[in-house]
Amino acid sequence: MKFVVAIDGPAAAGKGTIAKAVAARFGFAHLDTGLLYRAVGKKALDRGHGMLDGGVAALIAGELTAADLEAEGLRGAMVTRAASKVAAIPEVRQALLDFQRRFAARAGGAVLDGRDIATVICPQADAKLFVIASDQTRARRRLSELLKRGEDVTFDQVLADLRSRDARDAGRDAAPMRQAEDSHLLDTTELAIDAAVDKATRIIEQALDRARKRISG
Ligand code: C5P
């Protein structure tokens, strides 16, 4: 059975953690679509010796391979910023569209997390979630991740980076980040991971029931 879970939301709100956990729980395949944009951003930076060229980025997006998604350094600060810049280029998004739709169409269920999954990539998804958290909470979570990885950053830098990335992701013309009308809003500000995953699990179980009834009825 095809079954698609779309999880969108701003950076560090917990969507990746939730996506991974529910994919494992239901035995669905998981695609972190942010990795696609990160891989394009990194390759574009590498080819431009640190400078970003939009035209080159679109070509790179068309030639992306699975190995590119496992490159080192995809989570670093420079690449993160580059990802959000190349993600605003319509040709880059277009080049990555088919791959994401094919991934979603696989039998056995798929969870995709990103910014435009419920609105653009899979508007017919069976379950849609939009995960948010307060800026302060997201910055705290991201800071602790970065410090664990040995990066030398402060809370204020992380907060400013998150805010400018959110503004770029929500303000762009091409597939801006926004909540789909039929998405469930999940605010994780006051929620521990387990509680957030439980809430998402319940939403997905209800959608699975509906999908099974559609098939049997
Ligand atoms: O999710 P993550 O923070 O790894 O995404 C990195 C960047 O990739 C985002 O800031 C956003 O600009 C872009 N992105 C996107 N659409 C997606 C997933 C990520 O534009 N579906």
Side-chain angles (χ1 to χ4, degrees):
M1 179 172 95
K2 279 180 196 158
F3 186 86
V4 180
V5 180
I7 305 184
D8 294 302
K15 63 185 185 314
T17 309
I18 293 173
K20 231 179 275 159
V22 296
R25 161 95 171 66
F26 292 96
F28 297 159
H30 169 225
L31 179 65
D32 167 1
T33 65
L35 269 188
L36 303 173
Y37 297 92
R38 287 174 181 275
V40 173
K42 175 166 192 318
K43 285 190 102 174
L45 281 179
D46 289 349
R47 276 203 210 161
H49 305 286
M51 301 285 286
L52 212 52
D53 178 320
V56 171
L59 291 177
I60 289 169
E63 300 165 354
L64 214 59
T65 65
D68 294 329
L69 304 183
E70 283 162 24
E72 284 212 3
L74 291 182
R75 305 254 166 222
M78 279 264 287
V79 171
T80 301
R81 231 169 283 134
S84 142
K85 287 183 182 163
V86 299
I89 303 170
E91 291 78 11
V92 168
R93 306 198 72 84
Q94 186 60 37
L96 299 174
L97 189 75
D98 272 359
F99 173 76
Q100 295 174 81
R101 288 205 174 138
R102 263 185 278 119
F103 188 94
R106 64 175 56 204
V111 182
L112 286 82
D113 75 85
R115 303 288 186 293
D116 63 338
I117 308 303
T119 50
V120 175
I121 306 294
C122 303
Q124 310 298 334
D126 299 273
K128 299 179 176 180
L129 287 100
F130 195 77
V131 183
I132 58 164
S134 74
D135 291 4
Q136 304 284 325
T137 301
R138 293 187 298 127
R140 247 192 331 269
R141 289 177 187 161
R142 183 48 53 91
L143 178 67
S144 101
E145 245 174 69
L146 294 172
L147 292 179
K148 262 186 227 151
R149 280 218 309 273
E151 293 210 18
D152 181 20
V153 281
T154 65
F155 178 84
D156 288 345
Q157 281 166 344
V158 174
L159 182 63
D161 263 4
L162 280 180
R163 284 181 170 157
S164 72
R165 193 144 66 97
D166 286 352
R168 192 157 44 223
D169 290 348
R172 68 188 176 213
D173 291 331
M177 167 177 71
R178 64 175 179 80
Q179 183 183 355
E181 273 176 21
D182 51 351
S183 254
H184 294 265
L185 187 67
L186 182 51
D187 187 341
T188 68
T189 306
E190 306 287 341
L191 288 181
I193 289 170
D194 288 354
V197 171
D198 278 353
K199 283 202 172 192
T201 299
R202 255 173 277 137
I203 292 166
I204 295 166
E205 272 166 353
Q206 285 165 5
L208 260 175
D209 277 350
R210 281 197 299 275
R212 288 194 184 112
K213 278 189 192 131
R214 256 200 320 273
I215 288 172
S216 66

